[in-house]
C-alpha cells in the first residue's frame, strides 16, 4: 500500500491545487482532516467538498468543475468507472468494496486487507498523507475514523492494519489503549448517564431510567451529586470503577441478560493523549460521535475544523450540535420501538418516513437491532430523501458468518429498481425511487435468503 501511496503522492506533487471530496460521517471527516492537513503542510492549495454519497450527478458536477486533480477520501471505490469515464484526474483513497478500476486507487481490499474492519478511510488516507510528508501525529484522528466506522467491533479490538497504525501511535506517544467499560461518555458525562443511555447492551431496569441508575450507584456506595459536580467516569477512583463494573455485570446476569451481551460491557477503549482530559476529543468513540453530530447535519466545516485542531468556536459549535444529535438518536429509537419493526422471511425493516433524517437513520437502525429488533435477521431502514428513498442496512457478525453480504445485496436490489447502493458486508446503504420501495424489499428479502442458503 505504501508503494502505491508513493505513486499517488508523485501525482499530487505535480499540482498546485487539488479538489478534495469526502464523506459526511466521522470517517469521512477525519479522512478529510488528514488529507487537508497534509496538503496544507506541503504548501498545496485545496478546496474541500463533502457529500452524502457519490452518485453520477455529483461526479458529473465535479467533471464540469474540471479540477486539475481530485482526491476522493472515504468514498469513490464504488464509482471508479464513472470517475474514469468522466475523465476526472483522480486519486481515490477509500476502503469500501471496489467496483471497477482506477489508476490511482488506494484501498485495503486491493492489498489483501479487509476494508470493513482492518482499515478505514481515515487509515488509508493516513498512509497516503505520510507519503506526502511527515504526518505521523495524525494517527490519532486516523483511529477516530476507524472507531466511527465501528471497525473495532468485529474482534472486540482494532486489528489488521488498524492495529499496526495504533501501535505506532502508542509508540510515538499519541495514543493509548486499555480494557475498560465500553459505555459511551466516560470523558464527559456523569456516571449515571452512562448507564441510563446504554442501548448496546440494553441494561434491564437501568437503561432509560434516570432514578434507577442514580439509586443503583448510591446502593454501591458511589459518592456523587450533592454540592459537588456530578462525577464522571474519569473522576472515579479505580476501586470505585471496579465496583461499578462488577455490580453492573452481576445485575445484568441476574436479570437474565445473555452472557455475550454482558461481556460487551468491557472492551478495548482508545484514548487520544494529545487532547485535554474531560473533552470529547480525548476518547475515540466520543470524538467520532461529536463529528457525526456536525457533518450529518450539514455542518461538515465545523467537524473538519475540529479535526484540523481548532478548539475555539468550532468546538463550541460542535458541542451544541452534539446535544441535538443525542436528542435525535433518543427520539429516533423511541419512534422505532413505538411503531415496531416489521418481519419478513429473511430481513426486518421499519420505515421512518420524514420522522428521522436520512443521514442518521443508519445509526438508529444499528442501535435498534440490539434494543428493539431481533438478532437473527439484518435490519433495513427507510427514510424520505430529496432523491427518493434512502435505505440503510445493518447486520451482525453472526449473520456475516452465515453468509450475509449487505453491500452486495443492497447494490443488487437497488439496481433492480433503478437505484444505487453499496457499502460493507455488515453495513450498507442505497437510494431508490420512492415507487420502488416494496419491490426493493421483496427483492432484498429474496437475495438475502439466497445468501444464507448458499452458506
Ligand atoms: O460510510 P461508511 O463506510 O463509513 O459507514 C460505515 C457504517 O457502518 C457506519 O455507520 C458504521 O457505524 C457501520 N457499522 C456498523 N457495525 C459494524 C461496522 C460498521 O453499524 N460492526
Ligand atoms: O454511523 P454509525 O452507525 O457509526 O454511528 C453510530 C454512532 O452512534 C457512533 O458514533 C456511536 O458512538 C454513537 N452512539 C451514541 N450514543 C450511544 C451509542 C452510540 O451516540 N449510546
Ligand atoms: O448511510 P449509511 O450509514 O446507512 O451507510 C452505510 C454504508 O453504505 C456506508 O458505508 C455508505 O458509504 C454506504 N452507502 C452506499 N451507497 C448509498 C448509501 C450508503 O454505498 N447510496
Ligand atoms: Zn468509512
Amino acid at each position: 500500500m505504501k508503494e502505491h501511496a508513493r505513486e499517488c503522492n508523485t501525482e499530487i506533487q505535480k499540482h498546485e491545487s487539488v479538489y478534495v471530496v469526502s464523506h459526511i460521517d466521522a470517517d469521512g471527516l477525519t479522512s478529510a482532516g488528514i488529507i487537508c492537513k497534509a496538503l496544507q503542510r506541503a504548501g498545496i492549495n485545496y478546496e474541500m467538498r463533502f457529500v452524502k454519497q457519490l452518485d453520477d450527478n455529483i461526479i458529473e458536477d465535479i467533471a464540469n468543475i474540471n479540477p486539475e486533480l481530485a482526491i476522493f477520501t472515504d468514498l469513490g471505490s464504488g464509482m471508479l468507472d464513472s470517475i474514469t469515464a468522466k475523465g476526472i484526474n483522480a486519486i481515490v483513497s477509500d476502503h469500501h468494496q471496489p467496483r471497477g478500476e482506477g489508476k490511482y486507487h488506494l484501498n485495503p481490499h486491493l492489498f489483501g486487507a479487509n476494508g470493513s474492519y482492518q482499515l478505514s478511510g481515515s487509515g488509508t488516507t493516513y498512509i497516503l498523507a505520510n507519503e506526502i510528508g511527515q504526518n505521523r501525529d495524525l494517527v490519532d484522528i486516523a483511529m477516530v475514523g476507524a472507531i466511527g466506522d465501528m471497525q473495532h467491533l468485529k474482534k472486540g479490538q482494532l486489528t489488521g492494519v488498524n492495529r499496526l497504525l495504533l501501535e505506532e501511535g502508542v509508540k510515538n506517544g499519541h495514543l493509548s489503549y486499555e480494557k475498560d467499560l465500553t459505555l459511551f461518555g466516560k470523558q464527559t458525562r456523569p456516571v449515571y448517564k452512562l448507564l441510563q443511555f446504554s442501548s448496546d447492551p440494553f441494561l434491564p431496569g437501568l437503561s432509560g431510567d434516570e432514578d434507577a441508575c442514580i439509586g443503583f450507584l448510591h446502593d454501591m456506595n458511589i459518592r456523587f451529586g450533592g454540592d459537588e459536580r456530578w462525577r464522571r467516569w474519569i473522576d472515579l477512583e479505580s476501586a470505585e470503577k471496579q465496583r461499578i463494573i462488577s455490580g453492573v455485570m452481576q445485575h445484568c446476569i441476574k436479570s437474565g441478560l445473555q452472557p455475550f451481551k454482558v461481556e460487551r460491557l468491557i472492551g478495548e477503549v482508545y484514548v487520544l493523549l494529545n487532547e485535554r482530559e474531560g473533552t470529547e476529543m480525548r476518547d475515540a468513540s466520543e470524538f467520532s460521535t461529536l463529528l457525526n453530530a456536525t457533518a450529518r447535519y450539514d455542518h461538515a466545516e465545523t467537524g473538519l475544523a475540529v479535526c484540523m485542531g481548532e478548539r475555539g468556536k468550532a468546538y463550541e459549535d460542535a458541542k451544541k450540535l452534539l446535544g441535538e444529535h443525542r436528542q435525535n438518536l433518543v427520539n429516533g429509537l423511541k419512534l422505532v420501538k413505538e411503531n415496531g419493526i416489521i418481519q419478513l422471511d429473511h430481513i426486518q425493516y421499519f420505515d421512518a418516513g420524514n420522522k428521522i433524517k436520512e443521514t442518521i437513520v443508519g445509526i438508529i437502525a444499528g442501535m435498534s437491532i440490539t434494543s428493539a429488533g431481533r438478532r437473527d435477521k439484518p435490519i433495513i431502514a427507510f427514510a424520505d430523501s430529496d432523491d427518493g428513498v434512502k435505505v440503510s442496512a445493518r447486520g451482525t457478525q453472526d449473520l456475516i458468518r452465515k453468509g450475509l453480504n449487505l453491500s452486495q445485496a443492497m447494490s443488487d436490489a437497488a439496481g433492480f429498481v433503478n437505484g444505487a447502493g453499496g457499502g460493507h458486508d455488515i453495513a450498507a446503504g442505497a437510494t431508490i425511487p420512492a415507487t420502488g420501495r416494496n419491490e426493493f424489499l421483496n427483492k432484498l428479502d429474496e437475495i438475502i435468503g439466497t445468501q444464507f442458503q448458499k452458506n
Side-chain angles (χ1 to χ4, degrees):
M1 268 191 92
K2 273 192 189 165
E3 223 165 87
H4 190 57
R6 208 165 299 149
E7 288 163 20
C8 296
N9 175 50
T10 306
E11 179 59 30
I12 292 172
Q13 301 291 346
K14 289 181 193 156
H15 300 275
E16 277 176 15
S17 87
V18 298
Y19 192 79
V20 181
V21 183
S22 195
H23 196 205
I24 56 150
D25 67 359
D27 192 25
L29 277 175
T30 49
S31 302
I34 290 167
I35 195 72
C36 292
K37 225 355 168 246
L39 291 168
Q40 196 181 60
R41 287 171 176 173
I44 299 170
N45 296 322
Y46 63 86
E47 192 178 327
M48 182 71 231
R49 173 164 179 182
F50 286 96
V51 299
K52 266 190 292 202
Q53 72 242 350
L54 200 58
D55 56 28
D56 283 321
N57 291 336
I58 293 172
I59 293 176
E60 173 89 54
D61 191 55
I62 295 168
N64 289 336
I65 293 166
N66 196 20
E68 34 176 307
L69 177 68
I71 302 181
F72 294 88
T73 60
D74 194 35
L75 39 70
S77 290
M79 299 295 280
L80 290 170
D81 289 340
S82 303
I83 294 171
T84 311
K86 290 273 167 7
I88 300 172
N89 183 28
I91 288 171
V92 174
S93 170
D94 188 12
H95 68 129
H96 292 92
Q97 290 191 357
R99 247 169 261 276
E101 271 166 50
K103 187 171 178 199
Y104 299 111
H105 181 210
L106 197 64
N107 184 315
H109 287 287
L110 305 179
F111 300 91
N114 187 325
S116 73
Y117 69 99
Q118 293 175 322
L119 195 65
S120 60
S122 57
T124 306
T125 306
Y126 171 80
I127 291 172
L128 175 60
N130 275 291
E131 295 305 323
I132 300 176
Q134 209 287 65
N135 289 296
R136 307 241 162 249
D137 57 322
L138 305 180
V139 70
D140 53 1
I141 57 170
M143 294 300 100
V144 170
I147 302 300
D149 270 7
M150 303 201 184
Q151 298 208 323
H152 57 308
L153 295 186
K154 174 101 173 174
K155 310 267 179 193
Q157 58 181 38
L158 288 172
T159 55
V161 191
N162 277 329
R163 188 113 213 135
L164 298 178
L165 301 186
L166 171 70
E167 294 292 0
E168 183 184 285
V170 170
K171 205 183 71 199
N172 292 333
H174 302 304
L175 288 158
S176 73
Y177 59 85
E178 58 181 331
K179 279 248 170 340
D180 198 353
L181 188 73
T182 51
L183 297 185
F184 185 84
K186 291 191 290 297
Q187 289 289 331
T188 59
R189 318 191 77 187
V191 185
Y192 73 89
K193 284 207 185 285
L194 273 54
L195 306 177
Q196 184 187 342
F197 288 100
S198 173
S199 62
D200 182 21
F202 188 89
L203 309 173
L206 294 174
S207 294
D209 188 339
E210 179 174 302
D211 292 342
C213 294
I214 293 175
F216 182 81
L217 294 172
H218 270 308
D219 290 348
M220 273 187 301
N221 216 3
I222 302 297
R223 175 178 55 81
F224 78 140
D227 284 342
E228 67 183 310
R229 280 189 56 193
W230 299 101
R231 290 159 83 208
R232 301 159 300 187
W233 185 255
I234 53 166
D235 301 322
L236 301 179
E237 281 153 33
S238 108
E240 292 177 304
K241 290 183 188 170
Q242 263 319 316
R243 220 155 60 229
I244 296 178
I245 290 175
S246 46
V248 174
M249 285 187 142
Q250 279 167 22
H251 168 86
C252 288
I253 292 165
K254 259 195 266 160
S255 315
L257 196 73
Q258 291 133 294
F260 78 89
K261 286 190 184 170
V262 179
E263 279 165 27
R264 264 214 296 266
L265 282 164
I266 297 294
E268 199 167 88
V269 306
Y270 305 92
V271 178
L272 281 73
L273 297 175
N274 302 329
E275 300 292 345
R276 235 182 51 230
E277 258 202 286
T279 65
E280 290 79 4
M281 289 79 69
R282 180 87 176 178
D283 174 274
S285 168
E286 288 196 67
F287 198 161
S288 79
T289 299
L290 182 76
L291 295 177
N292 276 321
T294 64
R296 289 177 191 260
Y297 298 86
D298 301 319
H299 292 285
E301 72 297 336
T302 300
L304 179 65
V306 173
C307 282
M308 294 183 73
E310 239 184 73
R311 290 294 175 267
K313 181 171 183 315
Y315 174 46
E316 290 308 317
D317 289 350
K319 274 201 290 195
K320 256 185 236 134
L321 290 165
L322 178 61
E324 293 163 24
H325 177 49
R326 269 203 192 113
Q327 195 54 52
N328 289 335
L329 292 183
V330 169
N331 294 348
L333 274 175
K334 211 167 122 217
L335 183 87
V336 176
K337 270 198 190 144
E338 280 167 8
N339 293 357
I341 297 172
I342 298 160
Q343 304 293 327
L344 300 183
D345 288 344
H346 309 288
I347 59 181
Q348 52 187 338
Y349 77 94
F350 65 87
D351 191 335
N354 62 6
K355 298 278 193 313
I356 299 178
K357 204 171 152 62
E358 57 155 316
T359 50
I360 63 161
V361 76
I363 299 181
I364 291 165
M367 293 167 86
S368 296
I369 254 203
T370 42
S371 62
R374 297 168 38 159
R375 288 187 60 85
D376 58 350
K377 296 174 193 172
I379 189 162
I380 315 300
F382 295 95
D384 297 349
S385 129
D386 290 343
D387 331 304
V389 176
K390 164 71 192 294
V391 198
S392 280
R394 296 291 188 273
T396 65
Q397 291 310 329
D398 270 350
L399 293 171
I400 306 252
R401 276 190 290 275
K402 290 183 182 142
L404 180 72
N405 182 338
L406 285 174
S407 172
Q408 192 67 52
M410 292 282 280
S411 164
D412 291 351
F416 188 71
V417 296
N418 292 321
H424 308 284
D425 52 8
I426 196 157
T431 305
I432 59 169
T435 49
R437 201 202 75 157
N438 291 344
E439 204 183 340
F440 169 84
L441 263 177
N442 290 332
K443 191 69 188 170
L444 190 69
D445 194 30
E446 179 194 316
I447 295 171
I448 290 177
T450 313
Q451 291 183 345
F452 287 142
Q453 221 167 34
K454 278 206 191 121
N455 206 263

